[in-house]
Amino acid sequence: MSPSTRSTRPPFLAAVAAVLLLGAGGAVGVPSAATGSAAGPATGAAAAPAPSVPEACVPDVDRVVSAGPSPQTAEPLPQELTARLDAAARRSFAQASAPGAVVGVSSPEGTWTQAYGVADPATGEPMDVDVHTRIGSATKPFTATLVLQLAEEGELSLDDPIGDYVEGIPNGDRITLRQLADMTSGIASYSRNEEFQKVLFAAPETVFTPEELVAFGVAESPLFAPGAQFDYSNTNYVLLGLVVEQVTGRPVGEVLEANIFDPLELDETVWPGASTELPEPFARGFTLQGDTATPEAPADATHWSPTWAFTAGGLISDVDDLLTYGRALGTGQGLLEADSQRERLMSFSPPERGYGLGFGCIDGWVGHTGELPGYNTTVYYDTTTDTTVVVLVNSDIASGNCPESPVLADDPRTLPCSGPATRIFAELSTALGHTFTPNPQE
């Protein structure tokens, strides 16, 4: 969310809106089309210095796109590296407000996964690398991938207006599927609608239809003209899910399974539909959101209805599946043709540190963060080293000096504000030699 509007929104929104797409906090700005110069200097005037051109976030797109099948192996990473990673994970986990965490790193050198803390504080059950968690907005890259696949098949175009598929959208005749995917549509996020929040927090078991979610977003739209600005909106991705269902004639869960889960052998990744259950084993998730949560006693959000997130954040997965998906997302291997992946890796705005067609990029790291009540996830692929890093935690509670995000009562507030998965991921990236510097969280 933009700094100018952040202070007017309830603290809940930092989590539910899953704005932590690039690691933490604020939205990535997109210059308004109205601010650019339409013409050069007048004849005879002194020429102004040429503006610097930002470097592309992915330094060598052709090399990444031409990558062959994954060289990442199940062999263990070198012992010296795993010792550094384990020390970084332990240090950052101790600073995070989460009962447990699972981390994973996969590269051509090998793979390392490790669990920390507990999956269930009530029973003391330890966290395990096999646990399933809700991955929140890390679902969005899956949804965008389906849309790109349908574009490859000629079933739709990214430049189609959403009005061709869903009626009643303000500016629907001008908002394109591309603008939904890159968050420049101007459609408000339903998760910032106070009426929606009242319903969800009073009765987390409520089953929402996608159409109801869209209606909450439409009620506060448009925020700006299509393409004029960036605003992270869950409504965009619910609409894209509806488009997928309309074009394919199938429930989106079936399309995900046929087009992504099965080809990549993601056997532990689940589309829950309206079910509140998670596959065994699973970690219980804790939050400071909801009408019953307090800084002294977080709420257990494990079985909140996932229908409020739909294709903006509904998936469940585990660390091994997300390590596989993270590399496929970065390279396109097993998901998209080379031209589509090339377009995707060049879609970030601003190009050096921005958001594109379903995921974000900072300094060559491409991927997404997911945050929703009870859980926080990071899935990132380092395009410079062919390394995937995944962090799953069973809490969405920030820690540190957070002026807006709620923190636990005993938090010393001495560290920079950060979500738990992001805090751990940033430390792991440093241990790997390529530090991911997230946008600041408040």
Side-chain angles (χ1 to χ4, degrees):
M1 44 186 100
S2 67
S4 62
T5 59
R6 183 180 279 134
S7 62
T8 66
R9 295 175 184 165
F12 145 75
L13 295 172
V16 169
V19 176
L20 307 186
L21 55 141
L22 296 178
V28 181
V30 178
S32 167
T35 63
S37 174
T43 303
S52 60
V53 178
E55 294 183 3
C57 193
V58 179
D60 191 344
V61 170
D62 287 337
R63 179 188 58 78
V64 176
V65 170
S66 63
S70 176
Q72 297 170 356
T73 72
E75 295 298 317
L77 286 172
Q79 187 172 0
E80 180 182 355
L81 177 56
T82 60
R84 288 204 312 272
L85 291 168
D86 181 60
R90 290 180 184 278
R91 180 171 59 251
S92 51
F93 174 61
Q95 299 170 340
S97 296
V102 177
V103 301
V105 175
S106 189
S107 77
E109 292 185 275
T111 296
W112 171 76
T113 58
Q114 185 65 48
Y116 303 90
V118 296
D120 185 347
T123 65
E125 179 185 356
M127 202 70 153
D128 187 272
V129 294
D130 293 329
V131 298
H132 299 82
T133 67
R134 302 189 188 279
I135 68 171
S137 282
T139 301
K140 288 183 173 69
F142 287 79
T143 303
T145 297
L146 295 182
V147 174
L148 289 165
Q149 290 174 339
L150 290 171
E152 287 181 347
E153 296 166 6
E155 297 294 328
L156 55 76
S157 167
L158 294 182
D159 297 318
D160 288 344
I162 184 59
D164 285 358
Y165 303 92
V166 180
E167 296 181 350
I169 305 300
N171 293 326
D173 59 334
R174 295 192 291 139
I175 295 170
T176 66
L177 304 187
R178 186 188 306 276
Q179 289 166 338
L180 296 174
D182 68 14
M183 303 293 187
T184 62
S185 71
I187 302 172
S189 185
Y190 61 85
S191 51
R192 293 198 297 263
N193 183 301
E194 292 185 9
E195 292 303 315
F196 165 79
Q197 295 173 30
K198 289 177 183 177
V199 175
L200 177 66
F201 286 157
E205 71 280 4
T206 300
V207 174
F208 295 93
T209 68
E211 291 78 10
E212 288 172 332
L213 300 177
V214 170
F216 280 119
V218 164
E220 300 185 348
S221 302
L223 301 178
F224 47 80
Q229 299 179 39
F230 176 97
D231 186 79
Y232 189 91
S233 172
N234 287 320
T235 313
N236 289 337
Y237 273 75
V238 171
L239 285 167
L240 289 176
L242 290 173
V243 169
V244 169
E245 291 193 330
Q246 184 177 142
V247 170
T248 63
R250 292 183 290 163
V252 71
E254 292 183 8
V255 186
L256 283 163
E257 186 169 353
N259 289 26
I260 299 179
F261 302 168
D262 287 349
L264 295 183
E265 299 182 355
L266 306 183
D267 297 331
E268 303 302 323
T269 303
V270 175
W271 173 254
S275 172
T276 63
E277 300 304 309
L278 288 84
E280 295 280 357
F282 63 87
R284 303 198 72 87
F286 297 88
T287 185
L288 291 180
Q289 302 181 63
D291 290 352
T292 64
T294 69
E296 295 77 18
D300 185 333
T302 306
H303 296 299
W304 285 21
S305 172
T307 58
W308 75 266
F310 192 55
T311 46
L315 285 176
I316 297 166
S317 193
D318 73 353
V319 67
D320 286 338
D321 273 14
L322 291 179
L323 285 172
T324 297
Y325 184 71
R327 186 180 191 271
L329 178 65
T331 64
Q333 286 291 321
L335 293 177
L336 296 173
E337 297 172 0
D339 285 347
S340 296
Q341 186 66 13
R342 186 176 292 106
E343 178 182 10
R344 198 172 197 182
L345 292 177
M346 297 176 68
S347 66
F348 306 111
S349 183
E352 79 284 7
R353 188 182 179 93
Y355 197 83
L357 296 174
F359 58 166
C361 182
I362 289 181
D363 190 28
W365 287 98
V366 299
H368 218 289
T369 295
E371 184 169 339
L372 80 171
Y375 300 93
N376 190 200
T377 305
T378 59
V379 183
Y380 277 89
Y381 174 75
D382 183 1
T383 59
T384 68
T385 63
D386 197 13
T387 301
T388 309
V389 180
V390 171
V391 180
L392 306 170
V393 299
N394 54 339
S395 162
D396 65 318
I397 303 170
S399 61
N401 185 21
C402 304
E404 296 178 21
S405 298
V407 299
L408 294 177
D410 60 356
D411 193 307
R413 296 178 179 264
T414 55
L415 297 169
C417 184
S418 178
T422 300
R423 190 178 297 286
I424 297 169
F425 167 51
E427 287 284 339
L428 292 172
S429 70
T430 297
L432 288 166
H434 182 193
T435 297
F436 176 94
T437 304
N439 293 326
Q441 181 173 342
E442 295 187 1

